Amino acid sequence: MPVQKQVRMVADLNKCLGCHTCTMACKTMWTDRNKGQMHMYWNNVETRPGKGYPKDWETQGGWFNTKDKNSILLASINEGYGTPWEYNYDQVLKTNGGDASESVSESVLTPSPRPSGNAYASNWDEDVGEGTFPNSYYFYLPRICNHCSDPPCVDACPRQAVYKRKEDGIVLVDQKRCRGYRYCIKGCPYKKIYYNPEEKISQKCIFCYPRIEQHKGNLCATQCVGRIHHVGFADDTASGAYKLVNIWKVALRLHPEFKTEPNVFYIPPLSPPVYSPQLTEDQRIPVEVLANLFGDTSDQTHDQRVERIKEIFRIIRTEREKVAKGERSELIDILIPHSEADRIKV
Amino acid sequence: MHNGNDIFFFYQWNAATENNSVADYPIFADAIAMEIPLFTEESILCMGAMDKPVNIIFWRADLPVPENIVAGGMGTPQISPDEASQNIRHYQKWKDGIWDVIITRPMAAGSENQVSFVRGKNYRIAFAYWKGGAYAERGGHKIVSEWQYLSIR
Ligand code: SF4
Ligand code: SF4
């Protein structure tokens, strides 16, 4: 699918705080219009290891590993995504502009509707992670649609309602053409297309294309408190995103074995040393765990991925040490951007 | 059946469950459709062709009213945008494993996006059926008839 340009984003997982500001920026901007959008988080932040959002999306499958569209699961909102609930903030926190005479009527925050059945939510297992004290570990994984170079969601739609824009490689669902068949949801192995049961059509991350057209960054990137994102076009050699992926080669794809050539890249997270019974050389987040998630290409073996991640860690450590000694490092300069223009070049 | 002004199509079929909602990811509704060449005598069964478009009346159990659709080839069906052609009404009831659906429309076309039903004329007509619920049929995943004849007396 030839495109003239392709937007890319690199997320440095060493810097993600798990604050969900990106999620909320996206939600406020795009998925706050009707009831059918409430369960959707075009950008979500999930704790890893964990079930993710939608629940167990990695095992649901997609176009790459099954030819029979009908055998791929479509999760329900309540059990897969989470029925949104409200809290009784009014009763518990009401101060009416500091007026203490307006006393609170409840002391406990309760969700309504209460989660029922096999309920779930986008951050249901937040901060749970794995391992035992003092070596428990987790990290955050912010996810949007990967605006893949070989997008199975596009192939899955019999109506050509899902398409990839030539000018920037952004993948969109034509809201007028979509008939709510949900084949694209089955096709996408990242489960990054959502179904709006009110409008009876599918909806997804639009990489804030109206902003990209004005050379502004997508909101998850511009609003990020940790400033973890680098956004640029794949062939723009001057952009930080290009340098991290192509020159420094410290960014990897999430599940490249899905064969979609995702355009969101991640710098895998380093972690504190394992303690047993003294501090050791090993990192708390096992490299094997990271290699289950990240790699360069679809044909790489697990061992090759492990080696690549170790190599990336060596590069980052070496460059960090340089800076600690007062020397300059281009890599660290990119990773610690001073202005939005340093990170976002569209 | 018609009364000179309106034409009525009555459908009845067995359906173990009433699938009348599309309110969640895995939920699909039962649907039927009839297809008639828009201005040619015949056309291609699969959604017609560019020069031989077809007119489709589409009923799905969750829709407030059936839709008037035009298509000019695979992947092209579209709800006709003009209000005048969205003049289809219906009655639906599911009971004891049986769907009863009556679809009615003025015989005269509301616009050029619709076939006019004229007394004494013969039409080609084809039918499609989608089983919702666990079968999750939608789009091309359906049962279709061959071209049949519809004679309006
Ligand atoms: S992540 Fe999914 S929805 Fe986005 S382009 Fe890739 S396959 Fe399509
Ligand atoms: S806004 Fe940035 S730091 Fe916060 S959760 Fe999102 S990606 Fe992580």
Side-chain angles (χ1 to χ4, degrees), chain A residues 7 25-26 29-30 165 168 170 206-223 231 233 340 344 346:
Chain A
V7 277
C26 174
M29 189 67 182
W30 302 118
R165 305 212 306 180
D168 48 26
I170 293 174
I206 59 173
F207 211 92
C208 295
Y209 75 84
R211 290 177 58 87
I212 300 297
E213 285 169 3
Q214 292 172 27
H215 311 291
K216 290 176 186 155
N218 40 329
L219 277 174
C220 52
T222 59
Q223 304 312 99
V231 183
F233 289 107
E340 195 171 292
I344 292 162
V346 286

Side-chain angles (χ1 to χ4, degrees), chain A residues 39 159 177 181-182 195 200, chain B residues 22 25 62 67 75 77 138:
Chain A
H39 74 281
R159 288 179 57 76
R177 285 203 59 73
Y181 296 158
R182 288 157 265 174
Y195 175 63
K200 301 178 180 179
Chain B
V22 293
Y25 286 65
D62 64 294
E67 295 167 343
R138 73 276 194 205

Side-chain angles (χ1 to χ4, degrees), chain A residues 39-40 70 74-78 81 158-160 176-177 179-183 185-186 193-197 200, chain B residues 22-28 58 60 62-64 67 69 74-79 135-141:
Chain A
H39 74 281
M40 313 180 176
N70 291 302
L74 285 172
S76 74
I77 292 178
N78 192 49
Y81 296 80
R159 288 179 57 76
Q160 294 92 44
K176 289 224 171 72
R177 285 203 59 73
R179 291 280 280 166
Y181 296 158
R182 288 157 265 174
Y183 287 120
I185 303 177
K186 293 196 170 205
I193 304 195
Y194 303 86
Y195 175 63
N196 183 324
K200 301 178 180 179
Chain B
V22 293
D24 202 345
Y25 286 65
I27 297 179
F28 294 89
F58 180 76
R60 200 175 65 198
D62 64 294
L63 294 174
E67 295 167 343
I69 291 174
M74 289 278 278
T76 68
Q78 224 161 8
I79 299 174
Y135 291 89
E137 292 182 351
R138 73 276 194 205
H141 187 192

